[in-house]
Amino acid sequence: MPESLRWLAGAPFGRVVFTENALPAVRPMYHLVDDDRVVIHGQLGSVLPRGHEQVVTYAADEIDPTTRLGWLVTVTGLAGPVTDPAEIERYQSLLNRLIPLPHDQVIRISCEFVAGIELVSSTLPRAAD
Amino acid sequence: MPESLRWLAGAPFGRVVFTENALPAVRPMYHLVDDDRVVIHGQLGSVLPRGHEQVVTYAADEIDPTTRLGWLVTVTGLAGPVTDPAEIERYQSLLNRLIPLPHDQVIRISCEFVAGIELVSSTLPRAAD
């Protein structure tokens, strides 16, 4: 697994960035990283209207507001609903440990583009693999 | 000023969400709130290619990873470059106090849609004005 996805896997939550009614939208989400894919859950109709696939970006970061040091990772790829009942059950079990909120959609994002930046000083950012 | 914009004004930084090469993109940014508009700075060509206006969403949140309580605010509106030299100088002076990094573009976002949610418990989110 690339270092960027390991950072993402260790983050408490992230944000899904997508298009909603032709406008840029962002929602905080809990996630897990499964075999180089990102899995999130949400309310049906918000991220994937009518269950249609769409390209989204998922982002997480941990940036210290005082030192401004930390890291940020973005993943861009096709998001689609998980439809296999056994997979849904497994993901929901894992995601419910993170936050036991009602959600009717488990979404899996393929990681077509992964970008990670470590902010090691205010002048020398380091790119991760 | 709506309560949501007061939360945003007090946040250390936020994230601009926009379309880049037809893909959803997100960048962490420092911001200020000026007369019900959000002002950010960035590298020319990333948020506004060739200085063209585009609709963006700007988001900030403060969510405690343990209690999952806090707030989140999103602002959606037309982003355009600030072109008046006196305004650029004033904004750069204010933004440079936040982070003295090179930036060649000062961007102002009109707040057409403002949404604020306060997470007061895991089951009872409260919408702000």
Side-chain angles (χ1 to χ4, degrees):
Chain A
M1 187 186 290
E3 186 178 357
S4 295
L5 288 186
R6 285 200 298 274
W7 290 344
L8 187 63
F13 57 85
R15 294 160 190 90
V16 63
V17 175
F18 60 106
T19 301
E20 185 177 40
N21 299 324
L23 294 173
V26 55
R27 298 272 187 289
M29 289 275 163
Y30 288 82
H31 63 264
L32 58 89
V33 177
D34 180 43
D35 192 22
D36 289 6
R37 293 171 300 186
V38 175
V39 179
I40 60 176
H41 59 160
Q43 293 296 308
L44 189 66
S46 60
V47 180
L48 301 180
R50 298 177 301 283
H52 290 179
E53 295 182 327
Q54 79 161 324
V55 174
V56 308
T57 291
Y58 194 79
D61 56 58
E62 286 184 7
I63 301 173
D64 185 299
T66 306
T67 65
R68 296 162 189 155
L69 303 184
W71 57 263
L72 54 106
V73 171
T74 60
V75 168
T76 300
L78 194 62
V82 177
T83 55
D84 178 76
E87 283 191 315
I88 290 174
E89 190 176 352
R90 183 169 70 89
Y91 286 140
Q92 283 189 329
S93 167
L94 292 167
L95 288 163
N96 275 335
R97 289 183 206 161
L98 300 173
I99 185 163
L101 280 181
H103 53 270
D104 54 14
Q105 196 176 49
V106 177
I107 298 166
R108 191 160 45 198
I109 307 166
S110 65
C111 299
E112 303 296 334
F113 305 103
V114 179
I117 293 175
E118 187 174 10
L119 303 164
V120 292
S121 83
S122 61
T123 54
L124 290 170
R126 185 179 78 83
D129 63 356
Chain B
M1 187 186 290
E3 186 178 356
S4 296
L5 289 185
R6 284 199 299 273
W7 289 343
L8 187 63
F13 57 86
R15 296 160 190 88
V16 64
V17 174
F18 60 107
T19 301
E20 184 177 40
N21 299 324
L23 294 173
V26 56
R27 298 272 189 289
M29 289 275 164
Y30 288 83
H31 63 263
L32 58 88
V33 178
D34 181 44
D35 193 20
D36 288 5
R37 293 172 299 186
V38 175
V39 179
I40 60 176
H41 60 158
Q43 293 294 310
L44 189 67
S46 60
V47 181
L48 300 180
R50 297 177 300 282
H52 290 179
E53 294 182 330
Q54 80 161 325
V55 174
V56 307
T57 290
Y58 193 77
D61 55 57
E62 285 184 7
I63 301 173
D64 185 300
T66 307
T67 65
R68 296 162 188 156
L69 305 184
W71 58 263
L72 54 105
V73 171
T74 60
V75 168
T76 299
L78 194 62
V82 177
T83 55
D84 179 78
E87 281 191 316
I88 290 174
E89 189 175 355
R90 181 169 72 89
Y91 286 139
Q92 283 189 329
S93 168
L94 292 168
L95 288 162
N96 275 334
R97 288 183 207 162
L98 300 174
I99 185 162
L101 280 181
H103 53 270
D104 54 14
Q105 196 177 48
V106 177
I107 297 166
R108 190 161 43 198
I109 307 166
S110 64
C111 297
E112 303 295 334
F113 304 103
V114 179
I117 293 176
E118 187 173 9
L119 304 164
V120 291
S121 85
S122 61
T123 53
L124 290 170
R126 186 179 76 83
D129 63 356

